[in-house]
Every structure is written in C-alpha cells, then in structure tokens.
Amino acid sequence: MWSPQPPPLPLQLRRPTLPLFSHVRGRRSLNRIAASQEDPLTALTRVLWGRALPPSQLVLAVRHGWNAAWGLLMRQLAPSDPATGAFTRTPSRFPAVVAAPSPNARLHLYVGLPCPWAHRALLVRALLGLEPRLPLSVAVPGDDGAWSFTPDSPDALYGKRRLRDVYAARRGGFEGRASVPMLWDADRREVVCNESIEIAKFLCTLADADGPDLWPPELRQEIDRWYGVIYPSVNNGVYRCGFAQSQAAYDTAATELFATLDMLEDHLSSSRYLCAGGSSMTLADVCLFTTLIRFDLVYNLLFRCSRRKLVEYPSLHAYTREIYQMPGVAETCDMAAIADGYFGTLFPLNPGGIQPVVPASCDREALMKPHGREALSSTADASAGMQIGATTSVV
C-alpha cells in the first residue's frame, strides 16, 4: 500500500538579496564621498563606475541634451537658415542716418572693445582726431552676453547700467538687440544710427576740411565695391564659419573666406592700400583691418578659420602692422578685452571659458615690427587724396 504523503512544509519567505547599492553599502559610499578629497561629483562617479569611462547610455544622454541646449542657444545668439544651417546676421534696427543731427548736436558714441563692428567707428574717430568732439562710452559684455556698464567702464552720459537702458531712453522706446556701435543724439534723445559702416561714413563728414579723408567723393564707388567683397566673405565670413550650424554651411563659408584672403594677399603685394592704386587709406581698409587684427587671436581658433593664420600671409600681415602703427590706432586695439569678449562670453562656442595663450604674432612687440610697405607707395601726386599711411606711420 502506498504510504501517506507527508504534510507540506510551511511556506517560508526568503529575504531578498540586497541590491548592489544596498542601504549599508549606500551609507558606506556616502561616507566615502564625504571623506574624499575630490569634489562631490567626481567622488560620486568613482563610486558608480570606478575609474572606467562613464556608461554609454549616460554619454549619449548628455550628448543629446547638450546638442539640444546648444541648438537653442545658437538660434538666439546666431540665427541661421533652417534649410542650410548657414548663419544669417540680424539687420540693424537703425541702419542709416535718416535725419542728420544739427552741427552743434551733442553726439555720444557707444562702443564695445571686443566688437569688430564697433571698432570701425572707434578707429575712424581716432584717425580723424574726433575725440574732443565725440565723447565715448565703452560697454562690456555681461555674464548673459548683453552689453553692460561697470564702475570701471561707466555710461558717461546717463550712468545707465545696461546699454539696453540707453536705447530704451529714446522717446519711442526700444525692442530688439541693443548692439554696438551706437551713435546717440543727446539733444533729441534718439539713436542716430547703429549700423557700423553708416556711422563710419557719417563720422567722415565731421572731419576737418584740411584733415585726412577716409571717404573721398572720387573714391566712394570704389570703396563700396571693395566693401561688397570684404563684408560678406571676410568681415561676416569669419562669423559664418564660427556660427555655422551644419558642416556644409561651414565648408562653404571657409572656402569663400580663404579664397578672398588669397585674393587680398595678391592685391596687397603690389598695392599699399585697397583703393586708387594704393596711394591712400580709406574706409575699405578700416573695415578690413578690424577683422584682420582679430584673426589669429580669435577667429583662427574659436571660429575654426584654421586653414591659414594671418601671419602666414606676408602682405596681409605687413598691411595689418602698418595700420596698427598709425598714431592712435594701437590704443583702439585692446587684445585682452578682445580675447575675453570672445572666449569668455560666447558660451556656446567655448563652454569652459578657458582662454588660450595669446599668439606671439598678436602681441604689441610683433605688431610694431617694421612693415616695409613704404616701397609700395604710389607715384601719384603726394598732395592728392589722404596721406595717412605715407606721412604718419611711426616706422
């Protein structure tokens, strides 16, 4: 006969195995983090995955999040064509001098030292000796990138904290980007213009009749032709490289930039300046200079304009040195402010804010080396046109 089955054993619940990061282990890990000499975040990563690389899922998640945040910031900082990713510059709000100020108007110029567009107005002011007639306020980039004033660099006219506040003081108020340069009419409390080339042209009309002329009537068409080459390919070309949001957009901009620099190198190898056989400096040279002086310092590195450095172009580099050595020009070129303004402010392009060592070609000693361009002076009548380069170079 079959023996009876034994009664079933009572159900016993087994204590589950502690997870990898148990309470005890968790406490030990937290204690280890607290006692670590490393910063808490680094110590935490040591606990989670030791000295190995972070898990691939984390890397991919951070990369996706950073790309999304970068794209959002770039769309605000540097709008682009959605179809191509090419940088498209926002038009100036006050692009022309519509109503010329009265001869005795109290004008005030607002600039920022890092900005190449503001540097145009600052440079024309220095070359034409307009400092006594045109007071100046220098804005600096704030933590958020907006132009602001500090105790060391105040708004000399109204004592405002931000450049936007000056714009907003106009009778019609203001919405949009508060950019530099900006020429202000204090009598009318109105923006005269905030487009750099138009401000430069207007300042030329304020120059003394017996002084230099950077915008002579007989050369204006030629100046405009050169500007039509320089602006899209060089002045804005470096920004098209740095702010490109697709590989194709960058490739197009870089190719155009260096093709234009090659052409300018060839032209300036036999012509002292851009216009009229090279006999006189004009606004075309001013506009080219403010990009060239920043090229090796900023654009070659930060904006990926890396095919060649300016110092590798013998004629362009000598041309830049000649203009730099003209009286008053070097004082407008604050290399420390330029480097800080780009590497410290353009967060999407340089998140860590680390500034590279200034290239040797950009220090004052290198820029003051003899340029040897006197031999390119035109044989034209010395009394014709402006003779800034022929008579006031310090070398």
Side-chain angles (χ1 to χ4, degrees), residues 138 140 149-155:
V138 179
V140 298
F149 300 102
T150 68
D152 294 331
S153 188
D155 171 19

Side-chain angles (χ1 to χ4, degrees), residues 80-303:
S80 64
D81 183 336
T84 65
F87 169 60
T88 55
R89 184 169 294 280
T90 303
S92 299
R93 172 74 184 279
F94 305 94
V97 180
V98 178
S102 66
N104 297 321
R106 291 189 302 127
L107 300 178
H108 197 88
L109 181 62
Y110 288 91
V111 300
L113 298 181
C115 176
W117 317 105
H119 196 182
R120 294 174 173 182
L122 195 60
L123 190 55
V124 171
R125 176 178 177 266
L127 289 170
L128 300 182
L130 296 176
E131 295 92 338
R133 299 175 55 186
L134 185 60
L136 183 76
S137 290
V138 179
V140 298
D143 292 338
D144 59 354
W147 294 107
S148 306
F149 300 102
T150 68
D152 294 331
S153 188
D155 171 19
L157 188 60
Y158 299 121
K160 300 290 188 182
R161 296 180 59 186
R162 302 177 304 168
L163 181 62
R164 171 174 293 279
D165 298 332
V166 180
Y167 272 87
R170 61 185 295 269
R171 290 187 175 87
F174 178 75
E175 292 184 1
R177 294 192 177 196
S179 61
V180 292
M182 188 264 279
L183 186 62
W184 178 264
D185 186 333
D187 294 328
R188 294 188 297 143
R189 296 181 68 86
E190 182 58 87
V191 176
V192 177
C193 184
N194 69 347
E195 173 56 52
S196 62
I197 186 63
E198 296 303 322
I199 291 176
K201 290 177 178 179
F202 175 75
L203 295 185
C204 288
T205 68
L206 303 181
D208 294 334
D210 58 349
D213 192 351
L214 294 169
W215 195 43
E218 68 276 10
L219 294 180
R220 289 179 183 180
Q221 288 188 348
E222 188 176 0
I223 292 170
D224 287 343
R225 283 196 297 270
W226 273 112
Y227 189 67
V229 173
I230 293 168
Y231 171 76
S233 301
V234 180
N235 299 149
N236 200 45
V238 294
Y239 283 86
R240 290 167 55 209
C241 291
F243 291 161
Q245 296 184 43
S246 73
Q247 186 66 50
Y250 167 78
D251 291 342
T252 298
T255 298
E256 187 175 327
L257 167 65
F258 285 100
T260 305
L261 291 178
D262 290 343
M263 179 273 292
L264 290 168
E265 170 71 11
D266 181 66
H267 176 75
L268 291 170
S269 67
S270 58
S271 179
R272 192 168 184 179
Y273 304 108
L274 290 176
C275 293
S279 64
S280 58
M281 182 177 170
T282 67
L283 282 184
D285 300 289
V286 169
C287 294
L288 180 57
F289 172 81
T290 58
T291 295
L292 296 183
I293 197 66
R294 290 163 171 76
F295 198 87
D296 287 359
L297 180 63
V298 174
Y299 304 138
N300 178 258
L301 298 170
L302 187 63
F303 282 9

Side-chain angles (χ1 to χ4, degrees), residues 64-93:
H64 176 77
W66 165 247
N67 286 340
W70 179 84
L72 177 64
L73 288 172
M74 288 296 287
R75 281 194 292 274
Q76 297 298 317
L77 173 69
S80 64
D81 183 336
T84 65
F87 169 60
T88 55
R89 184 169 294 280
T90 303
S92 299
R93 172 74 184 279

Side-chain angles (χ1 to χ4, degrees), residues 334-392:
D334 189 327
M335 295 305 198
I338 291 171
D340 184 64
Y342 280 89
F343 290 101
T345 302
L346 294 181
F347 166 78
L349 300 185
N350 190 36
I354 296 173
Q355 295 189 28
V357 174
V358 175
S361 61
C362 298
D363 63 34
R364 183 177 176 85
E365 182 180 357
L367 289 167
M368 292 302 292
K369 288 182 178 179
H371 51 76
R373 292 184 62 78
E374 300 88 348
L376 297 176
S377 295
S378 172
T379 57
D381 183 1
S383 64
M386 185 195 67
Q387 296 299 315
I388 288 180
T391 61
T392 63

